[in-house]
Amino acid sequence: MVFGLIWKRFSSILVIMLQSQLFTKTRREAPKDEESVNAQLLIRAGFIDKTMAGVYSFLPLGLRVLRKIENIIREEMEAVGGQEILMPALQPKANWEKTGRWGKMEDLFRFTSYYTKTDYALGPTHEEIVSPLLKKFIFSYKDLPVYVFQIQDKFRDEARAKSGLLRGREFVMKDLYSFHKDEKDLGKYYETVKTAYFKVFERLGFGNLTYLTFASGGTFSKYSHEFQTLSDAGEDTIYICDKCRVAVNKEIIKEQKVCPECGSENLKEEKAIEVGNIFKLNTKYSEPFDLKYRDEDGEEKEIYMGCYGIGPNRLMGTAVEVSHDDKGIIWPESISPFKIHLLNLGKDAEKEKCDQLYYNLQKIGMDVLYDDRIEAGPGEKLVDSDLMGIPWRLIISEKTQDKIEVKRRGEKEIKLASEKELAKILQ
Ligand code: ATP
Ligand code: MG
């Protein structure tokens, strides 16, 4: 068992972490039909590939980033009591008719089975599935509250899909749904999730650029909230109050021109990306699906619901939009495909040293991509490394002798360190 694990780990290291073995290649030019910076850089660096507008494949390096983002979200959702499930993307028409959204939702993908002539939807969101699902498990006040979430592919017939990973027609969403005995309990949990969302954005490296934004709550509550990250690539316009670090979106500014927290009229217009959205649904979906429970006195009551969305693909695109330069991506360590990019810029003698360092770094638990390619020259390796954007670049060459050159992506300073010093710097 132990041997099996070690062997598996070792073999996966050999396959994945050596750049000579990586099947993807970097590209000097982005595809002509790709307008967004995030998709251009991610395609050039070999992280993703475009199948058609709004639909992408994730390649080994890109998938590592996506999985890291998903895991950060997963940890924060579990920390607030979320239980992970996985619901289907393929959904029956009847559920969508029940809520009246079959005919109303413009971006719902609908299609008919060739064999049975039955109509289906490809899920753009999951209230229509999660509400009848939880109805099978909630009977009394003792069964509440419940929090379930999934990290799953969504499909939306987006009119415009020109922003790379920011707006896909197929994309990953983490959607959390909460079920409560009353409005007060929902309100309390809603605040807990708000805090959890900010932890996610902090860990992804753009907490300082992200604002809680007041949006319309629809017919069921006064406000909903968005999380908006400042970026010129954003499709949204928000109005920020720097004193409270909150913002209002366009729908709200038309009704009220003041900060909802402090009443200040001093709001600044900014471009932003909506990275998350939370909503008090109250009884909007429990009504059509007859979602009820018995309270302490045996009385039947309606269940209150909340929903909380966040898009890992969009977060990955956002990370690139807010952190890159003219050479390429600059990943924050938390979601970089690897912590370290080790380059051998020398010849045979250096290769031996570099192999040993690669081995030693792995032994102390470091996540390393090793550019061991023989056919690529030093210039090419340096350009590729900047494009890929891994935070720590280590170089061994004829010039470095018994030291290692250390540089952080996005910084100018270059240091020479012994292996011992290096271990300290990296820890
Ligand atoms: P938008 O206004 O940008 O279309 P939305 O209000 O439709 O977003 P929600 O339905 O609240 O978005 O979805 C929750 C989260 O899922 C969003 O905050 C975003 O992070 C992500 N998301 C939504 N649509 C897309 C998409 N087309 N591509 C990638 N991520 C998306
Ligand atoms: Mg939308």
Side-chain angles (χ1 to χ4, degrees):
M1 177 70 184
V2 173
F3 272 113
L5 275 181
I6 291 170
W7 188 83
K8 230 168 121 187
R9 209 182 130 85
F10 195 63
S11 68
S12 78
I13 285 166
L14 286 178
V15 175
I16 298 174
M17 301 193 187
L18 295 179
Q19 216 166 316
S20 60
Q21 301 298 306
L22 199 61
F23 79 85
T24 58
K25 306 276 178 286
T26 58
R27 302 163 50 156
R28 292 290 160 261
E29 303 285 336
K32 296 244 159 9
D33 60 344
E34 196 60 79
E35 296 171 16
S36 70
V37 169
N38 71 83
Q40 284 183 5
L41 288 175
L42 288 165
I43 290 171
R44 283 185 48 212
F47 283 58
I48 61 171
D49 179 69
K50 184 176 183 170
T51 304
M52 58 181 171
V55 180
Y56 296 90
S57 292
F58 284 74
L59 307 176
L61 297 174
L63 188 60
R64 286 179 75 94
V65 176
L66 188 65
R67 291 285 182 255
K68 286 190 180 181
I69 294 173
E70 290 172 357
N71 280 334
I72 287 174
I73 298 170
R74 180 176 281 116
E75 281 172 21
E76 296 303 337
M77 293 302 103
E78 286 177 345
V80 294
Q83 300 180 40
E84 187 166 1
I85 61 174
L86 184 60
M87 290 181 277
L90 191 60
Q91 306 182 354
K93 176 184 182 179
N95 294 35
W96 287 88
E97 281 185 319
K98 223 169 216 167
T99 57
R101 292 209 280 187
W102 177 265
K104 260 201 305 215
M105 209 169 180
E106 292 98 354
D107 53 2
L108 183 67
F109 275 114
R110 309 165 180 84
F111 68 97
T112 309
S113 158
Y114 174 81
Y115 295 106
T116 64
K117 310 299 174 215
T118 317
D119 290 328
Y120 297 98
L122 281 179
T125 176
H126 277 70
E127 286 83 4
E128 274 78 357
I129 303 300
V130 79
S131 311
L133 169 67
L134 268 289
K135 185 178 163 60
K136 296 175 187 166
F137 297 95
I138 302 171
F139 305 100
S140 93
Y141 68 96
K142 290 184 197 150
D143 302 321
L144 293 169
V146 190
Y147 320 122
V148 297
F149 75 98
Q150 63 173 348
I151 297 174
Q152 191 253 10
D153 268 16
K154 299 279 186 276
F155 298 84
R156 291 185 184 180
D157 196 359
E158 299 281 0
R160 282 163 43 87
K162 291 188 176 169
S163 303
L165 291 190
L166 302 184
R167 186 171 296 286
R169 295 201 167 98
E170 174 176 348
F171 60 96
V172 186
M173 195 198 287
K174 183 287 299 168
D175 38 337
L176 166 75
Y177 303 90
S178 68
F179 300 81
H180 307 266
K181 66 177 167 48
D182 55 28
E183 213 175 336
K184 192 170 154 224
D185 196 56
L186 166 60
K188 228 171 63 193
Y189 190 67
Y190 189 83
E191 294 306 315
T192 305
V193 178
K194 250 189 216 169
T195 311
Y197 267 42
F198 271 112
K199 282 192 191 151
V200 170
F201 303 126
E202 288 294 335
R203 290 179 64 183
L204 295 178
F206 44 81
N208 59 338
L209 292 174
T210 304
Y211 284 77
L212 179 73
T213 304
F214 287 69
S216 160
T219 41
F220 277 77
S221 68
K222 183 161 185 215
Y223 294 118
S224 66
H225 292 91
E226 296 166 350
F227 297 82
Q228 295 269 6
T229 304
L230 300 186
S231 162
D232 285 337
E235 295 176 11
D236 292 1
T237 305
I238 59 167
Y239 303 82
I240 62 178
C241 172
D242 257 329
K243 217 165 77 199
C244 306
R245 285 205 57 85
V246 302
V248 296
N249 76 1
K250 238 179 180 156
E251 323 154 348
I252 302 288
I253 200 88
K254 284 186 201 130
E255 290 157 31
Q256 63 178 59
K257 295 190 167 28
V258 297
C259 169
E261 297 277 86
C262 70
S264 160
E265 291 174 15
N266 195 5
L267 302 178
K268 200 163 73 198
E269 189 178 302
E270 296 275 4
K271 282 265 168 234
I273 302 167
E274 183 208 297
V275 285
N277 200 339
I278 59 176
F279 234 100
K280 286 180 188 163
L281 298 170
N282 292 334
T283 58
K284 184 173 174 182
Y285 294 95
S286 15
E287 272 167 26
F289 289 104
D290 195 31
L291 199 54
K292 294 195 174 116
Y293 74 99
R294 285 195 187 280
D295 72 4
E296 288 88 334
D297 305 319
E299 202 182 314
E300 211 168 50
K301 294 229 166 106
E302 259 176 340
I303 289 173
Y304 280 73
M305 283 174 65
C307 74
Y308 317 81
I310 201 168
N313 303 25
R314 190 176 282 185
L315 294 175
M316 182 166 159
T318 301
V320 176
E321 292 290 347
V322 302
S323 183
H324 67 269
D325 60 16
D326 56 348
K327 297 192 180 79
I329 304 166
I330 306 173
W331 292 112
E333 215 163 293
S334 58
I335 58 171
S336 174
F338 294 92
K339 175 171 175 156
I340 296 164
H341 202 177
L342 171 63
L343 318 186
N344 173 21
L345 300 191
K347 306 237 165 63
D348 281 353
E350 287 74 31
K351 181 174 182 323
E352 212 166 290
K353 265 196 254 173
C354 226
D355 285 355
Q356 187 61 48
L357 179 62
Y358 175 56
Y359 178 76
N360 292 349
L361 285 169
Q362 291 198 334
K363 255 198 341 208
I364 58 167
M366 295 288 160
D367 204 12
V368 190
L369 177 67
Y370 174 18
D371 194 347
D372 62 328
R373 291 175 298 169
I374 310 268
E375 75 287 1
E380 188 180 348
K381 287 183 178 177
L382 290 169
V383 168
D384 281 352
S385 180
D386 278 341
L387 179 59
M388 288 177 180
I390 294 168
W392 293 95
R393 189 186 74 190
L394 307 183
I395 291 177
I396 287 186
S397 71
E398 279 156 346
K399 280 187 277 180
T400 54
Q401 296 185 350
D402 59 344
K403 297 262 166 98
I404 303 138
E405 188 189 295
V406 187
K407 183 182 170 293
R408 277 210 74 128
R409 179 71 179 93
E411 288 174 17
K412 287 217 166 69
E413 193 195 354
I414 292 177
K415 270 192 221 147
L416 277 178
S418 68
E419 204 176 315
K420 221 173 169 182
E421 289 162 345
L422 177 66
K424 245 193 231 139
I425 295 172
L426 293 172
Q427 231 103 49

